[in-house]
């Protein structure tokens, strides 16, 4: 027994030279094991060594190049010390530690911690070690490797708490790319795992078209394990002050966020202070019940002109909503309450949205072949609209039968009912049938709907959200009566799939929102158009769809998509064109409505990424927009600049809304 050998050596009070690896295990603490070569001085209970030894105690592995270890007090005096755990590594030139209590003082220390994507490194002249808590004196902290050190924090002291995964800096300063940006008094706290610690956070920079350049220093408060608060005072170059207060809390499976924005000294012609708030709630992504809440409000009509903090559909409409949904094996349902705050500006044209109070949708699978769907909505208009746009309710439903096979058969009975201005409801019921057949590159499709007169029925479409001619949404307010017979041939040539098809209308189409019903030439003339579709998939995507007719202007619509990656650039080109499109806003036909967009993304050298996305839309007005992005990301920081001008808000008639939006971000860590 090695321990008995130690005791005998101590009784003889002599010295013994170890020639081979020796082991020591304490009887009081059986987890303590020392291995190595050295001298045992019996009278002093001292084990001195000049070759590396290992000490194992609990989850800690301690290595020392040379020094002495007291067997009774478990005190280690060493040079070239390394403390290794699953959470961190400490390297010190000199150290005095008590192994049994995991406490001590270290000099000239390097602290290392491995994260998912980065490695935390800190240097300090002195360190006070107390188990999983460390205090680094006159220290430098960074998450960048030494050859890519874009930033580092220096501080009078850094407290590291591995139990709570918190960092506390005393009198911290920041060096960015080797330049000292100055220091601050007090304490700065941050988290190593995302669960914060109370204290000052890194400053934030802003550029505002009205207030100028601004700087804010957030103060972070942890009130409980499920709630925190961030208060950010801001100072701007145009002698203004702002305050942002953000609270977050977790309630079971629901995550809440509340934000209050205040600019009390910013005055306009109508208000002497600028205020806004937002409240959001989201359910857990894995929850069976999906629940989303957003409540937003601003207290002056010019808010969206000067600030971008509050979510909006455009400069005029700020939505608030409650949406709940659930997807079960045989049933899917959705419940929606949506209300807009309309910022009253004179834009010289119709622009309106519909509050939905409420909207309910249910889809249920009765059996393998039978299903039913149902939706109900009450709509209340807000904005600038004509007398014909009124509040009302819409009920829509259908019973469907599906028989798959060589001939795919779908039969439906569709119902539509409207109640508007407390007038007797208008109810429609129409049968529908869809047959599909495919065989060796040929396909035939029959689509038939029994016609019902739907003249004068309302249309509940938000005119501000979409380009109408590209994404028509008014079909929910109608039972389409499109009855067509389509013949097509599919062939392959190299990497391309070519589909040539022709559609014949065997009954006149009378359902359209154009009072003259001139949009669909197929409806009026029973034309036999030729539809050309060309597609190509990886390694590049190419899609082209066109509808040609035998009457001027010969081409009715074109849809074109081309996407390709040429290292280091990826670009996507989209073009849509329709010969004629009816505008709900202008209540007239638009000739040559079109949209063109180009998306370019380039991965440059050394972590730089650049993106450019210009857009052009014509729907009776020329609207131009773009998004320009520049990002840089490495292992320990992320920098970004975005300049955006959205085409749906670029219009001389809208006055102020042509201003571009500029955002700047810099993030330490990733």
């Amino acid at each position: 027994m090695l321990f008995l050998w130690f005791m005998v050596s101590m009784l003889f009070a002599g010295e013994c030279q170890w020639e081979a690896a020796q082991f020591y295990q304490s009887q009081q603490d059986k987890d303590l094991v020392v291995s190595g070569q050295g001298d045992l001085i019996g009278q002093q209970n001292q084990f001195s060594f000049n070759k590396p030894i290992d000490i194992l105690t609990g989850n800690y592995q301690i290595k020392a190049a040379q020094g002495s270890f007291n067997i009774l007090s478990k005190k280690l005096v060493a040079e070239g010390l390394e403390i290794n755990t699953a959470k961190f590594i400490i390297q010190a030139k000199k150290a005095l530690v008590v192994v049994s209590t995991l406490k001590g003082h270290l000099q000239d220390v390097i602290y290392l911690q491995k994260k998912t994507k980065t490695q935390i490194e800190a240097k300090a002249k002195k360190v006070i070690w107390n188990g999983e808590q460390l205090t680094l004196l006159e220290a430098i902290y960074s998450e960048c490797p030494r050859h890519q050190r874009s930033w580092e924090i220096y501080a009078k002291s850094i407290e590291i708490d591995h139990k709570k995964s918190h960092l506390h800096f005393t009198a911290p300063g920041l060096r960015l790319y080797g330049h000292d940006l100055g220091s601050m008094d007090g304490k700065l706290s941050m988290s190593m795992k995302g669960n914060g610690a109370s204290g000052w956070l890194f400053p934030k920079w802003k550029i505002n078209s009205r207030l100028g350049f601004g700087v804010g220093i957030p103060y972070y408060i942890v009130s409980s394990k499920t709630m925190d608060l961030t208060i950010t005072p801001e100072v701007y170059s145009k002698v203004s002050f702002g305050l942002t207060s953000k609270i977050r809390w977790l309630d079971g499976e629901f995550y809440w966020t509340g934000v209050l924005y205040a600019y009390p000294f910013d005055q306009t012609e109508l208000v002497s202070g600028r205020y806004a708030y937002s409240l959001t709630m989201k359910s857990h992504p894995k929850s069976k019940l999906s629940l989303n809440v957003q409540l937003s409000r601003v207290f002056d009509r010019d808010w969206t002109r000067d600030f971008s903090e509050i979510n909006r559909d455009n400069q005029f409409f700020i939505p608030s909503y409650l949406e709940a949904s659930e997807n079960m094996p045989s049933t899917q349902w959705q419940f929606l309450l949506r209300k807009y705050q309309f910022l009253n500006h004179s834009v010289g044209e119709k622009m309106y949205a519909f509050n939905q109070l409420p909207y309910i949708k249910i889809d249920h699978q009765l059996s393998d072949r039978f299903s039913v769907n149902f939706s109900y909505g009450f709509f209340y208009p807000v904005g600038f609209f004509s007398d014909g746009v009124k509040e009302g309710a819409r009920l829509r439903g259908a019973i469907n039968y599906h028989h798959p096979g060589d001939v795919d058969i779908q039969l439906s009975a569709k119902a539509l009912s409207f109640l508007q201005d407390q007038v007797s409801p208008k109810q429609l019921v129409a049968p529908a049938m869809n047959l599909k057949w495919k065989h060796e590159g040929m396909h035939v499709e029959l689509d038939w709907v029994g016609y019902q007169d739907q003249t004068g029925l309302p249309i509940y479409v938000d005119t501000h959200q979409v380009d109408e001619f590209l994404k028509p949404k008014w079909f929910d307010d109608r039972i389409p009566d499109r009855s067509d017979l389509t013949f097509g041939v599919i062939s392959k040539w190299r990497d391309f799939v070519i589909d040539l098809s022709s559609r014949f209308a065997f009954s006149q189409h009378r359902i359209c929102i154009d009072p003259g019903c001139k949009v669909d030439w197929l409806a009026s003339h029973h034309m036999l158009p030729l539809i050309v579709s060309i597609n190509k998939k990886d390694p590049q995507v190419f899609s082209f769809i066109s509808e040609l007719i035998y009457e001027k202007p010969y081409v009715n619509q074109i849809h074109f998509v081309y996407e390709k990656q040429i290292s280091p650039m990826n670009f996507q080109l989209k073009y849509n064109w329709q010969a004629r499109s009816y505008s709900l806003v202008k209540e007239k036909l638009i000739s040559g409505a079109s949209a063109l967009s180009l998306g370019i993304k380039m991965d440059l050298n050394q972590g730089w990424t650049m993106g450019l996305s210009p857009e052009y839309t014509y729907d009776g007005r020329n609207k131009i927009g773009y998004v320009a992005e520049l990002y840089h990301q490495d292992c320990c920081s992320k920098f970004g600049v975005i300049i955006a001008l959205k085409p749906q808000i670029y219009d001389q008639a809208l006055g102020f809304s042509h201003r571009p939006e500029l955002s700047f971000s810099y993030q330490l860590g990733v």
Side-chain angles (χ1 to χ4, degrees):
M1 299 287 294
L2 182 58
F3 182 76
L4 293 177
W5 189 88
F6 282 152
M7 295 298 101
V8 173
S9 301
M10 294 168 60
L11 289 174
F12 284 94
E15 296 184 5
C16 180
Q17 178 71 33
W18 292 5
E19 299 294 343
Q22 303 293 328
F23 299 91
Y24 163 79
Q25 180 171 343
S26 169
Q27 288 183 329
Q28 291 81 15
D29 187 355
K30 297 186 181 299
D31 290 334
L32 178 61
V33 177
V34 181
S35 62
Q37 295 181 349
D39 297 326
L40 181 67
I41 305 174
Q43 290 181 335
Q44 300 178 7
N45 303 314
Q46 199 80 358
F47 171 49
S48 64
F49 55 92
N50 54 17
K51 293 183 179 181
I53 68 165
D54 291 331
I55 301 176
L56 299 177
T57 175
N59 297 323
Y60 290 82
Q61 180 182 5
I62 303 174
K63 297 181 180 181
Q66 60 182 15
S68 62
F69 177 68
N70 190 285
I71 296 172
L72 296 181
S73 65
K74 312 299 187 298
K75 183 182 291 184
L76 173 66
V77 180
E79 296 181 6
L81 181 75
E82 180 176 298
I83 302 174
N84 201 327
T85 73
K87 294 183 178 181
F88 61 88
I89 299 174
I90 299 176
Q91 299 171 349
K93 288 186 177 180
K94 294 182 179 181
L96 171 61
V97 299
V98 179
V99 177
S100 57
T101 60
L102 300 176
K103 296 181 179 180
H105 293 77
L106 299 83
Q107 298 181 12
D108 297 326
V109 176
I110 296 177
Y111 168 88
L112 301 171
Q113 180 185 345
K114 183 67 176 177
K115 294 179 68 177
T116 304
K117 297 181 180 179
T118 62
Q119 177 174 286
I120 295 176
E121 180 177 340
K123 293 182 180 181
K125 290 186 176 181
K126 295 181 180 180
V127 170
I128 301 173
W129 177 40
N130 185 9
E132 294 195 21
Q133 294 181 337
L134 299 169
T135 302
L136 287 67
L137 305 177
E138 299 182 42
I140 297 174
Y141 171 92
S142 183
E143 296 184 12
C144 299
R146 298 175 186 176
H147 63 284
Q148 288 182 315
R149 183 147 297 179
S150 57
W151 65 270
E152 62 183 16
I153 302 172
Y154 60 90
K156 185 176 180 180
S157 68
I158 302 176
E159 298 177 19
I160 303 177
D161 189 342
H162 291 95
K163 288 184 178 180
K164 298 181 179 180
S165 297
H166 289 171
L167 290 169
H168 304 278
F169 300 85
T170 302
L174 178 63
R175 292 193 188 97
L176 198 61
Y177 296 100
H179 300 283
D180 192 344
L181 301 184
S183 60
M184 57 177 285
D185 296 329
K187 284 192 173 183
L188 172 70
S189 299
M190 59 186 295
S191 171
M192 294 185 288
K193 287 188 176 180
N195 48 339
S198 297
W200 292 101
L201 303 179
F202 289 109
K204 294 184 176 180
W205 296 271
K206 287 185 177 181
I207 299 177
N208 183 272
S209 59
R210 179 178 177 84
L211 304 180
F213 180 79
V215 178
I217 303 179
Y219 188 80
Y220 183 63
I221 302 171
V222 179
S223 57
S224 68
K225 292 183 178 180
T226 59
M227 183 179 295
D228 58 25
L229 173 67
T230 305
I231 301 175
T232 308
E234 302 166 351
V235 179
Y236 289 88
S237 59
K238 294 186 179 180
V239 194
S240 185
F241 171 79
L243 183 67
T244 301
S245 301
K246 181 178 181 180
I247 185 171
R248 305 182 302 176
W249 71 95
L250 186 64
D251 182 13
E253 293 187 346
F254 303 106
Y255 174 67
W256 294 82
T257 303
V259 187
L260 173 65
Y261 304 95
Y263 301 90
F265 305 114
D266 184 24
Q267 298 183 0
T268 67
E269 296 178 357
L270 301 177
V271 295
S272 58
R274 318 290 296 279
Y275 303 92
Y277 69 83
S278 69
L279 177 67
T280 60
M281 187 272 286
K282 294 183 179 181
S283 59
H284 193 279
K286 295 184 179 179
S287 176
K288 292 183 179 180
L289 175 64
S290 175
L291 186 61
N292 292 287
V293 175
Q294 176 177 297
L295 178 62
S296 302
R297 186 167 183 82
V298 302
F299 292 91
D300 68 278
R301 72 176 192 179
D302 295 323
W303 178 276
T304 54
R305 177 192 67 184
D306 301 324
F307 305 102
S308 60
E309 281 83 358
I310 296 294
N311 291 332
R312 76 289 303 270
D313 283 358
N314 68 2
Q315 306 285 22
F316 306 98
F317 296 96
I318 298 178
S320 295
Y321 59 83
L322 183 152
E323 183 179 13
S325 62
E326 187 174 8
N327 291 325
M328 295 177 286
S330 60
T331 305
Q332 298 83 41
W333 63 268
Q334 178 190 14
F335 177 84
L336 174 66
L337 293 173
R338 186 184 66 182
K339 191 177 189 313
Y340 283 102
Q341 180 187 6
F342 175 64
L343 305 183
N344 189 2
H345 290 275
S346 178
V347 296
E349 65 174 26
K350 297 181 180 65
M351 182 177 291
Y352 55 88
F354 284 96
N355 297 328
Q356 297 186 22
L357 305 167
Y359 175 79
I360 303 171
K361 182 180 180 181
I362 300 174
D363 294 327
H364 180 64
Q365 192 74 31
L366 297 173
S367 64
D368 292 340
R369 296 185 178 180
F370 285 94
S371 64
V372 295
N373 52 65
F374 160 88
S375 68
Y376 170 82
F378 182 82
F379 302 88
Y380 185 90
V382 58
F384 292 111
F385 47 86
S386 60
D387 295 336
V389 179
K390 299 178 180 180
E391 65 183 62
R394 182 191 68 207
L395 176 66
R396 186 181 181 91
I399 301 176
N400 309 294
Y401 171 80
H402 181 210
H403 177 75
D406 294 338
V407 178
D408 191 274
I409 303 174
Q410 294 189 41
L411 304 176
S412 301
K414 300 181 179 181
L416 186 64
S417 177
F418 286 91
L419 176 62
Q420 192 172 23
D421 287 341
Q422 300 179 352
V423 180
S424 299
K426 297 181 180 180
Q427 299 176 351
L428 305 171
V429 178
M433 177 176 62
N434 179 269
L435 305 178
K436 294 180 181 179
W437 175 80
K438 290 184 179 181
H439 180 71
E440 295 182 353
M442 298 180 61
H443 63 91
V444 179
E445 181 175 355
L446 172 65
D447 198 356
W448 174 82
V449 179
Y451 170 68
Q452 292 287 333
D453 184 17
Q454 301 173 54
T455 305
L457 294 181
I459 298 173
Y460 300 122
V461 176
D462 297 335
T463 61
H464 70 283
Q465 286 188 318
V466 297
D467 296 312
E468 301 167 71
F469 72 99
L470 297 177
K471 301 176 182 178
K473 298 177 64 178
W474 50 269
F475 288 110
D476 288 340
D477 300 301
R478 296 291 185 268
I479 298 179
D481 68 337
R482 198 174 190 102
S483 300
D484 305 324
L485 183 62
T486 304
F487 301 90
V489 177
I490 300 175
S491 62
K492 293 184 179 180
W493 178 70
R494 294 184 179 180
D495 296 330
F496 292 91
V497 177
I498 303 173
D499 185 354
L500 301 177
S501 58
S502 183
R503 186 173 71 240
F504 173 71
F506 56 84
S507 67
Q508 285 208 0
H509 299 199
R510 304 172 186 175
I511 304 305
C512 59
I513 58 175
D514 172 18
C517 220
K518 298 177 181 178
V519 176
D520 192 347
W521 284 290
L522 192 64
S524 302
H525 301 91
H526 296 272
M527 299 306 299
L528 189 69
L530 177 65
I531 304 171
V532 182
S533 175
I534 303 174
N535 293 276
K536 182 180 180 181
K537 296 185 178 181
D538 296 336
Q540 62 185 22
V541 177
F542 175 86
S543 177
F544 171 82
I545 300 175
S546 177
E547 185 175 285
L548 296 83
I549 64 173
Y550 304 115
E551 180 179 298
K552 291 183 179 181
Y554 301 111
V555 178
N556 186 23
Q557 63 180 1
I558 295 175
H559 174 72
F560 175 83
V561 177
Y562 182 68
E563 183 176 355
K564 189 173 183 179
Q565 182 170 358
I566 304 175
S567 183
M569 182 177 66
N570 181 287
F571 71 92
Q572 183 184 70
L573 178 65
K574 290 184 177 181
Y575 178 71
N576 290 277
W577 178 87
Q578 284 191 1
R580 292 184 181 179
S581 174
Y582 185 76
S583 171
L584 281 172
V585 176
K586 295 185 175 295
E587 297 181 349
K588 67 177 184 180
L589 285 172
I590 305 298
S591 298
S594 60
L596 175 66
S597 66
L598 175 65
I600 301 175
K601 184 177 180 180
M602 295 185 64
D603 294 324
L604 307 177
N605 295 330
Q606 298 180 346
W608 287 93
T609 302
M610 182 183 70
L612 179 63
S613 302
E615 298 181 41
Y616 168 78
T617 303
Y618 174 75
D619 61 353
R621 302 169 300 176
N622 290 305
K623 297 190 289 186
I624 302 173
Y626 61 84
V627 176
E629 302 173 297
L630 181 64
Y631 284 103
H632 178 264
Q633 181 172 352
D634 54 28
C635 59
C636 50
S637 64
K638 185 177 181 179
F639 164 82
V641 177
I642 301 177
I643 302 176
L645 183 67
K646 298 180 180 179
Q648 60 263 36
I649 63 172
Y650 181 77
D651 193 313
Q652 293 180 354
L654 304 189
F656 61 82
S657 60
H658 65 278
R659 294 186 179 185
E661 297 180 359
L662 172 65
S663 61
F664 169 82
S665 64
Y666 187 81
Q667 177 181 344
L668 302 182
V670 292

